[in-house]
Amino acid sequence: MDKDELFKGWETFFGSDRLYAKEMDRRGFLLASSKVAALSLGLTLAGTLKGEQVLAAEPKFKAYPFTLGVASGDPLPDGVVLWTRLAPDPLNGGGMPHHDVPVRWEVATDEKFRNVVRRGVEFARAELAHSVHVEVEGLQPDRVYYYQFKAGSEISPVGRTKTLPAFHADVAKLSFAFASCQHYEEGYFSAYRHLAKEDLDLVFHLGDYIYEYGASDGKVRRHNSPEIITLADYRNRHALYRSDSDLQAAHTAFPWVVVNDDHEVENNYAGLVPEKDQPLEPFVARRAAAYQAYYEHMPLRRSSIPNGPNIQLYRRFSYGNLAQFHVLDTRQYRDDQANGDGTKPPTPESTDPKRTLTGTKQEKWLLDGLENSKARWDVLAQQVFFCKRDFKAGAEESYSMDAWDGYAANRDRILDFAAKNDISNLVVLTGDVHSNWANEILADFNNPESARLGVEFVGTSITSGGDGADMNSSDRTVLEENPHIKFVNRQRGYVCCTVTPDQWQADYRVLPYVSRPDAEIFTRVSFQVEHGKPELRKIYDSLVTTS
């Protein structure tokens, strides 16, 4: 069965009770539901599920329904997505009845909701695990707002969010953080407790929000099931992660822009190719279930509602004229890893110009965006290591086949385009590798003297890999073999960035351990980059003693 036939007929083999993948016009369904916001909040509301009319008067819950907290995301100058999910029994399917439930929402300019500027009603859809995605419009640009939900007599925590500046507005400063890779079993999410206290405008999450692995002995915490496969499995796993109070605090504090990597589905999958030698149909069904649960638990717009085994996640955000963020999906459209994956020498397969990490359509979208951008900084928010990283000393070479090194021609096309179009303001944000790195992007990585086109900031994990250390025994070799790589560190944490028209500063915030929940955070190192001069300048290093 080829891919076209498979996608045309995906509903024929997704119809089991174990995997929900019913064909339906979800976009129209939710668009229609938004009209309910015009009704008085005191009216009795009705929803429709599978052709049956379900009365939705004031619901009653067997326990508090907002156990997974609240979140906001995908901000625009005039609005933002507000998210919650009704789940009185979150780790056992949610504990909700099999019909839609109306949820009131309010947005105010103050935390006490004295000045409410928007309110309405949205259905928590049974088909979407009783998640709620409200696309609020009509807000003022570059403003802080507060929001909350009410279902029946139950009221959610209060969330804080912020809109983006107006398109093309002159912006003096942007502060944001990016994070990735939060394995529940391998540590406490203490980093998020600290991140929630930072002075930020927004947060980017670059993938591995959950891990699909089964429960393991001897870990800091424990997963709630064997390896997840079905939609019910993925929902319960997301609920486990979402139940963490530190993660909830970070979501409550700022709007997030999210994109997934591999563990939201399965380790190192590539497009429609699973990690291990498996039949195609079960994996595509698994991917559909994973994308469905991902959407249900993220503050994403209707444009990202999955269509079977597909989800639209690459998109752009403009922060006035200061920065344009090109959010990439480097997992869903890629060719299979070359040379059987792993860390290998380059081969004709890995250097094949036909191979792609982004897919042809997304690559064109990216290049068009870079060409038309008027922003002071162009930012690629993406998942896997972008710069060349040779692991072998001497003449031998060895590269990660899962990163851009395994798809070198795709990277070369982007860098050639940047060089030919005089784009020298590139900043790449990366997750995935559970370690901090700071790299200069060269027009030709085989020529250390070639032009510098930008910089790459690679952020470590929230917990994945456990407590970590400053460096390991192989890092010195990597630094010597790759002179464009200026820094490596293997502790846990996140990266805070402060951006002005003339300067970009990246502060690598790390924890001494994640095996206990009481770790304090500190800045390991800080780098600055001047606009128009894409070179890394270290301005602070915690290991350097100053008098």
Side-chain angles (χ1 to χ4, degrees), residues 6 40 55 61 65 101 138 166 179 182 206 234 236 253 282 297 320 329 335 358 360 389 398 417 423 428 433 466:
L6 182 64
S40 167
L55 293 179
F61 304 97
V101 175
Q182 51 203 49
L206 302 180
Y234 281 101
N236 287 339
H297 290 85
D329 179 346
D335 291 319
T358 60
T360 303
R389 185 173 52 154
S398 185
F417 182 90
I423 298 171
V428 177
V433 293

Side-chain angles (χ1 to χ4, degrees), residues 179-182 204-213 234 238 257-275 283 286-288 290-291 294-295 298 300 309 311-315 327-335 337 341 357-358 362 381-386 389 400-404 407 429-435 458-461 464:
S180 63
C181 303
Q182 51 203 49
F204 288 83
H205 195 282
L206 302 180
D208 293 348
Y209 191 94
I210 64 167
Y211 279 71
E212 81 283 17
Y213 301 135
Y234 281 101
H238 273 280
V257 173
V258 301
V259 65
N260 64 19
D261 191 17
D262 54 339
H263 287 288
E264 288 88 351
V265 181
E266 181 190 50
N267 179 55
N268 277 23
Y269 82 94
L272 288 174
V273 181
E275 179 187 22
F283 174 71
R286 181 183 187 179
R287 199 178 94 164
Y291 287 175
Y294 185 78
Y295 173 80
M298 297 295 145
L300 290 166
I311 187 170
Q312 179 63 46
L313 288 176
Y314 66 84
R315 56 212 194 276
V327 180
L328 302 185
D329 179 346
T330 62
R331 189 60 59 178
Q332 185 176 181
Y333 310 105
R334 63 161 67 193
D335 291 319
Q337 290 92 345
D341 205 355
L357 186 70
T358 60
Q362 185 179 193
Q382 55 96 54
Q383 294 72 46
V384 294
F385 211 96
F386 185 81
R389 185 173 52 154
S400 169
M401 295 295 103
D402 189 58
W404 286 85
Y407 304 81
L429 309 178
T430 301
D432 182 60
V433 293
H434 309 169
S435 45
V458 182
T460 188
S461 63
S464 302

